[in-house]
Amino acid sequence: MTPELDPFIAGPALVPAVAAVLVLLLDALLPRAHRLPLIVGALALAGGALSAVALRVRAASGEVPQTLCFEGDRALTVPLPTGPQTGTCLMQVSPSDALLQAVALLAGLAVLVLLLGGRGPERSDGREAGGVDGGHTAEGSGSVSAGRDPAVEAALLFAAVAGAAALPAAADLATWLVTLELATLPIVGLVALRGERHEGGAMPLLTTSLTSFALAVVGAGLWVTVTGSLRLDAAAAWSATQAPDDARILAAAAAFLVAGVAFKLSLVPFHAWTPTTYPSAGPRLALLLATVSTVAALAALSAVVEAAAAVLPTLQPALGVLAVASLLVGAVVALRQQDPVRLLAWSGITQAGWVVAPLVAGDTAAATGYLAVYAVAALTALAAVSALGLAGRELAEHRGLARREPLVAGSLVLALLTFAGLPPGIAGLLAKVAALRPLAADGLWWVALPAVIAAVVALAVYLRWVALLLAPEREEREGEPQRLPAVVATCGGALLVAATVAPALLLGVL
């Protein structure tokens, strides 16, 4: 029996995939229409985001949207005490899944606008005359080589977004593995095309991707061996825990899967690529890594934690160590950083610790809500850094920017206060409370207390930057913020304000 595909349920993943093919086709037919990838992509990603929001509403009503159901497929059948399961669906969407899809699509739209929306006239040296601030011209200020093809860049971006949007709904290991790499490898290509090549930002990312994929494949092989099924859910895991030896193999399979995803989520000690890749890629591609790639990583990790619920007590020490190490190492090392992009890279590591902390208690909804808030704040901060031309400039040079550029720098201040969990960044505070609550309920104080310590240390990281932005300017500086990054930063700041007024927008029901 051929499974039916519901285009509405598959829409968040299907739309960017179709857009990737369409922009390449249009580029072949209309090679001089350089704005078409931007127009087609913006419409596709906006439509996909609306579809994800509609799915979230539908899933919150109690329905479980699912599609691509294979009735009677032995590879997807698990024997249970009530009788064999006759089939399963390869895609099913929960409210948390739909939220991750919406975040990935909106972040992809922001990256598309930043990468392709500001293409200016070429200069005599073959580079574009993008906007600059203080004489700086880099990827962060919008300059790109004349030979770059916007259709190829757009197709790579759409492919990564399609993988990130499909991964939350994946219910089997095959789809899980394919979409996880689909969300990663196109980003490697974009970093290679757009990044500063002399710093080699793409190589650590590629090495990390291959290593993590190898670990994930080993884990997937062990999972299929012990469960006899491709299903990545609690039913398959339950069947394997009935024999003690099988339960140990299942725990090892889950550990390999977690290790594979830990690379992509930048968890300590799998984080070494992050502080190298972010600065070399520039703030615009760092935004892609901090949002779309991180959404895919959390979706993958949440699927493993939910599926391996039967052996979660065995996994708790490993997950807890990853969370605590990331929280503390990221916060402490960020204290020493002067470059804003590198600081945000280390900040992303400690924020990844916050994302994983509730997963130690098996609470995927709290992890999803925290990531949604972090993704919007990271988008706002990196877009503001790009708009103000701050990449590569020490924090001391940011003095007085909030007075000179109140809208963009004000959005940056709000993003930093959201990271810190201080008013008016109330969404960040609520996200931290939601992340700590399941830990306190389960008595996991050895994870909760280091999280509180990391939050206190992180105050110094963000407040010193905020203080410089708000301080009086010592000397007059010329230069206007770049228009499109400024618009993205302002929109991100507005969304953070909306999340403060209506926390359910990103956090769900507290």
Side-chain angles (χ1 to χ4, degrees), residues 49-51 87 93 179 186 202 211 261 273 277 411 486 506:
L50 290 175
S51 176
V93 184
T179 53
T211 304
V261 178
W273 64 273
T277 301
S411 297
L506 296 177

Side-chain angles (χ1 to χ4, degrees), residues 354-386:
W354 276 104
V355 169
V356 174
L359 294 180
V360 181
D363 192 332
T364 57
T368 299
Y370 193 97
L371 178 63
V373 172
Y374 163 70
V376 176
L379 184 153
T380 304
L382 287 164
V385 166
S386 179

Side-chain angles (χ1 to χ4, degrees), residues 221-382:
L222 290 174
W223 182 281
V224 173
T225 299
V226 72
T227 64
S229 172
L230 285 172
R231 288 177 61 175
L232 186 62
D233 63 11
W238 180 89
S239 67
T241 58
Q242 303 311 297
D245 290 340
D246 288 348
R248 285 190 284 270
I249 296 174
L250 182 69
F256 272 103
L257 292 174
V258 168
V261 178
F263 275 104
K264 300 182 184 299
L265 204 51
S266 299
L267 296 172
V268 175
F270 306 100
H271 68 289
W273 64 273
T274 306
T276 300
T277 301
Y278 273 45
S280 62
R284 303 183 186 200
L285 289 181
L287 194 159
L288 180 61
L289 289 165
T291 54
V292 174
S293 181
T294 306
V295 164
L298 175 63
L301 187 57
S302 296
V304 173
V305 170
E306 289 180 341
V311 292
L312 183 60
T314 305
L315 286 178
Q316 272 183 342
L319 287 171
V321 168
L322 290 174
V324 170
S326 301
L327 283 162
L328 296 177
V329 172
V332 170
V333 179
L335 280 170
R336 303 176 54 191
Q337 305 305 311
Q338 295 299 321
D339 177 79
V341 178
R342 195 177 294 274
L343 186 153
L344 290 172
W346 283 104
S347 170
I349 292 171
T350 196
Q351 298 299 329
W354 276 104
V355 169
V356 174
L359 294 180
V360 181
D363 192 332
T364 57
T368 299
Y370 193 97
L371 178 63
V373 172
Y374 163 70
V376 176
L379 184 153
T380 304
L382 287 164

Side-chain angles (χ1 to χ4, degrees), residues 55-71:
L55 278 176
R56 179 169 168 80
V57 173
R58 180 174 167 184
S61 67
E63 182 185 354
V64 181
Q66 52 187 9
T67 188
L68 286 177
C69 300
F70 290 79
E71 298 295 331

